[in-house]
Each structure stands twice: as C-alpha cells, then as structure tokens.
Amino acid sequence: MRPAADRLAQLLGHFLPGPLPVRVRAWDGSQEGPADAPLVALRSPDALRRLLWQPGELGLAEAYITGDLDVEGDLADALSQAGRSVRDRPGTRPGPTGMAVATALAVRLGVVGPPPKRPAGRARLTGGLHSVSRDRAGISHHYDLSNDFYSLLLDETMAYSCAYWTRPDDPSYTLADAQRDKLELICRKLGLGPGDRLLDVGCGWGSLTVHAAREHKARVTAVTLSRAQHDFVTARAAREGVTDLVDVQLRHWRDIDGGGYDAAAAVEMGEHVGNAEYPAFAAKLHDALRPEGRLLIQQMSRGAHAPGGGAFIETYIAPDMHMRPVGHTVDMLENAGLETRSVEALREHYATTIDAWRATLEQRWSDIEALVGTTTARVWRLYLAGASLAFSERRMGVDQILAVRPTREGASAMPATPATWYTPGSRA
C-alpha cells in the first residue's frame, strides 16, 4: 500500500502545482515535501475532511484547533513561510480527468465521508447586526471568556491593546512598561490634568481609566458592555484608591448621556461599532465633548478590500468586527464636526505586543489549558500567531487618531507642536 503522505502529495498536486508548500507527516508516519519547509502533522484523515466540507481558512483553522492538524516549531513562522509559498504559486482547478483522479485519491485516503463534528467555541449571535443585544453577546463572547484568563495572558496593567515600545532594545524594558508608556502618551495627547473629565468608551479592564485617575487626577467615566469588565474595573478602582474619581457604567455607547467632557478616548473599541453605525458613533463622541475638548481613537485598520477580521476571527474570536482604511475613519470623524490633529501609526508596535502575548501564552500554557480547555487554548495560539503576521506583513495596521472639537470660531486650544506629548512630566 502506498504511504498516505505520497498519495496526499499527489492529491494536492492537482490543485497546487509544484512542490508542497510544507512538509507533511501523515497519520501513518510517512512524510513528503521539502526538507526545509515547515512540518505539518496530520493526525487523522479528518484534517482533510474538514477542508473538504469547509474549504479555505475556517476549515484549516478548525483542523488545527481540534488537533487533527498540528505544526512543529513556531506557528507564526510556519504560517508565514507556507503563506509566501502559496501566494507565489497560484492554485489551479483540475479538469474533469484530473478531478476524477483527485476524487479517487481522496477516497483511498479516507477523506470522503460525513462532516466531522465542529469544535466548541463558535460564536452564535442572533438579532439585528449591531443591535444592543447582539453587540452585548458579541462582546461577551470575546471579553467574558474570564477575567482569570486575561489575567494569565496580559501583564499587570491588564491593557488588551497595542503597547508603545519606547525602549525596545533595553532588555529590562517589559510589556508592562510599554503599556504604561502607551497610557501616558494617550493622557498627554489628551492634555489631561487634575479635575479634567475623561470619557473612556470601551474601557476594557480599566488600564486607561485607572492610569488617568491615579497619575493625572482626572475624573473618569468608564463605559463597558461587558459585565465581567464592569465588575473588574469597579473593584480595581477601589483597590487602586481612585473610587472617588472613577464612575464605571455598564451600557452601550449609544446610551452614553451627558456632555461637557474635556476629553474622550476609545482604545481599540471602534472595531466593534460597525461600518454603518460609525458615523453615529463619531457624532456621539463629538457631542460628548465640550468645545476644545480632545478625542483619542486608537483603532486597527485594514485595506479597502479586506474590511473584516476573516472567517476564523469572525467565528471564534470577535464576531461582527469591522475595520477599514484609517483614512475612512478620519473622514467619518471629520464629517461629525471633529478636526483631526494627528495620526500616529503603531503597526510595528502591535507585532511586538502580540509576540509578547504569544510568549506569555506558551510560558503559561498548562495553566491556560487547565482554565479554558485545550480547544480554546489552541484557538488563541492560532489567533495570536495570525495576528502577529497580519501586522508584521502590513495586512493590518493600528493608529492613534487625535481629534478636537473646535469652537464655532475655529479655536482648538491645541499646542503649537506635539513635542510635549513625548516629554515625560509635561502637559500639552
């Protein structure tokens, strides 16, 4: 009987001419493919059956997260190398004779059969797109995995967003230092000082809220749609001694009331708003600010032809997520009456941040696996590996957009230059 890897190489050759983009080790122990390519282990024919029933990214992802398929070595490196190989050699569709041969090979490999059982953890949202109830369910799917999980994955700041690496070559400089530098940069760009009112929309686990209150004595209204985050930030504010400066509200952004805020921030929350809803979101932020009040948006972006997060992200990580080119976001903010004053790209900073999370995931793998289960742990391993590549290969970006609500006469009260934003201890 011919080895399974040999038959598999022949099967794939009908769809991707040339050498295999990876080295394959089949379930019978046989191997095929370039010796220097990433090694992919197929534990069972179900790995291929998943692709048969669900071709493309999602089928491949589910083969990995179920363990039907595994990768030896660094997952991000393997994805990058294999991806380049496939992109350099566009696939083909075999003719009738080739398809018949491929089908016969698939039958002999045991690939043809009923669909494998889908893994647990898929998002199952109902209701109108970006309705309050659906948004709440989507946020809960991602952020309510458990505070304990995020405490294991993140650093002590509990900042789940791109850090700002001011000393990347300093071996003593940590992810927590880079997150604090990011939080401080946001506060300086917003010009926060004692008594200033800050609206923190999508406050996460309170990293910006607490930093602004503790370090700048700002009065912060923190808004989240996640019950787990609301309870965490409330307890954190008490633990940090800033309860008198922090008001944590469990509500949708549409339900934010009041105005006159000196500053507002939305740190990697706008991706969950939706494209059709973003103009109303921008208008809500404009109306919340007093004249000369500042807005800081930190938000991920994608190219014009890739607005979402992809099938795997949408299904397992962040359903209903929408990203757009940064210029489109700026247009919507300006159309709402805000004036854009600065756009700072942080793309490389995010690749470094995600790689730090990936390192923590591997270091704490046994604890994370015990907490959330093997399937969910593998979901996050794949998610972080793919995200690291998306930023390092410039398929995604992330930017800090600073805007202001000018007065009717056009006054902005902005500093003449941004130099003070990057000078410790100063206020702009």
Side-chain angles (χ1 to χ4, degrees):
M1 180 180 292
R2 289 172 59 194
D6 183 51
R7 286 179 174 170
L8 178 59
Q10 185 181 356
L11 172 63
L12 294 178
H14 288 282
F15 301 92
L16 190 66
L20 291 174
V22 296
R23 184 163 183 81
V24 175
R25 184 171 65 224
W27 49 91
D28 64 355
S30 60
Q31 296 190 29
E32 283 290 338
D36 59 346
L39 195 147
V40 174
L42 303 180
R43 310 291 189 195
S44 133
D46 280 351
L48 301 176
R49 192 173 299 169
R50 291 186 186 280
L51 283 169
L52 178 68
W53 283 95
Q54 199 162 239
E57 174 188 320
L58 190 54
L60 192 61
E62 291 192 342
Y64 177 80
I65 64 180
T66 57
D68 292 333
L69 178 154
D70 214 340
V71 176
E72 292 195 359
D74 184 82
L75 182 57
D77 289 345
L79 291 173
S80 180
Q81 189 174 338
R84 286 195 303 270
S85 178
V86 171
R87 287 193 296 271
D88 291 343
R89 293 181 289 129
T92 61
R93 183 174 180 81
T97 302
M99 185 60 75
V101 173
T103 301
L105 284 166
V107 170
R108 285 195 291 272
L109 280 165
V111 173
V112 177
K117 183 180 178 181
R118 286 179 172 172
R122 281 184 166 222
R124 302 188 184 279
L125 307 188
T126 59
L129 183 63
H130 292 297
S131 63
V132 172
S133 61
R134 185 181 175 105
D135 278 354
R136 182 177 290 113
I139 293 298
S140 178
H141 175 82
H142 188 57
Y143 297 99
D144 290 351
L145 183 56
S146 84
N147 290 338
D148 290 340
F149 169 78
Y150 286 100
S151 294
L152 284 170
L153 181 68
L154 307 177
D155 63 275
E156 63 260 32
T157 70
M158 288 295 285
Y160 182 40
S161 55
C162 179
Y164 193 69
W165 298 81
T166 61
R167 304 197 312 275
D169 297 325
D170 181 351
S172 67
Y173 185 75
T174 67
L175 172 60
D177 294 325
Q179 291 289 10
R180 292 187 188 99
D181 284 345
K182 182 268 302 293
L183 299 172
E184 183 60 22
L185 178 62
I186 290 173
C187 290
R188 286 191 221 141
K189 286 183 174 182
L190 291 173
L192 291 180
D196 285 344
R197 297 179 63 216
L198 168 65
L199 174 64
D200 186 4
V201 185
C203 64
W205 288 273
S207 57
L208 177 61
T209 290
V210 170
H211 184 90
R214 186 184 60 227
E215 303 299 328
H216 296 268
K217 309 306 177 189
R219 294 173 293 159
V220 187
T221 300
V223 178
T224 178
L225 201 52
S226 164
R227 167 62 69 180
Q229 289 182 341
H230 171 275
D231 296 346
F232 185 95
V233 179
T234 300
R236 182 176 183 177
R239 190 170 63 250
E240 300 269 355
V242 292
T243 300
D244 58 327
L245 294 173
V246 172
D247 175 24
V248 190
Q249 300 182 357
L250 182 67
R251 61 177 59 191
H252 196 278
W253 64 262
R254 293 191 188 95
D255 299 323
I256 294 171
D257 53 17
Y261 286 95
D262 301 288
V267 180
E268 295 181 29
M269 176 270 177
E271 298 87 339
H272 300 288
V273 169
N275 202 46
E277 292 74 17
Y278 207 92
F281 177 65
K284 174 68 73 172
L285 295 174
H286 169 276
D287 294 347
L289 292 167
R290 64 167 174 79
E292 298 182 351
R294 301 182 197 178
L295 168 69
L296 189 290
I297 299 281
Q298 181 170 306
Q299 192 166 299
M300 289 179 275
S301 61
R302 292 193 74 143
H305 303 295
F312 168 63
I313 301 294
E314 290 279 346
T315 303
Y316 283 94
I317 299 295
D320 295 346
M321 196 174 193
H322 186 95
M323 292 169 283
R324 65 189 68 79
V326 62
H328 293 189
T329 298
V330 169
D331 284 345
M332 286 189 272
L333 294 174
E334 296 255 340
N335 288 338
L338 295 156
E339 180 184 12
T340 303
R341 302 298 302 227
S342 169
V343 178
E344 183 172 0
L346 306 179
R347 180 173 63 83
E348 292 87 352
H349 292 258
Y350 222 158
T352 305
T353 301
I354 294 169
D355 285 344
W357 290 337
R358 291 178 62 220
T360 301
L361 180 73
E362 299 304 328
Q363 290 164 6
R364 299 178 176 175
W365 181 262
S366 59
D367 291 336
I368 288 173
E369 189 178 29
L371 180 67
V372 299
T374 302
T375 298
T376 299
R378 289 177 71 88
V379 164
W380 276 80
R381 178 186 274 162
L382 181 59
Y383 165 49
L384 294 177
S388 174
L389 288 180
F391 287 100
S392 63
E393 295 178 352
R394 207 176 70 82
R395 287 180 279 112
M396 287 179 59
V398 63
D399 308 272
Q400 282 189 356
I401 305 168
L402 181 67
V404 65
R405 176 178 175 173
T407 66
R408 289 183 179 181
E409 297 74 28
S412 68
M414 293 293 293
T417 77
T420 50
W421 300 344
Y422 305 98
T423 304
S426 62
R427 184 185 178 195

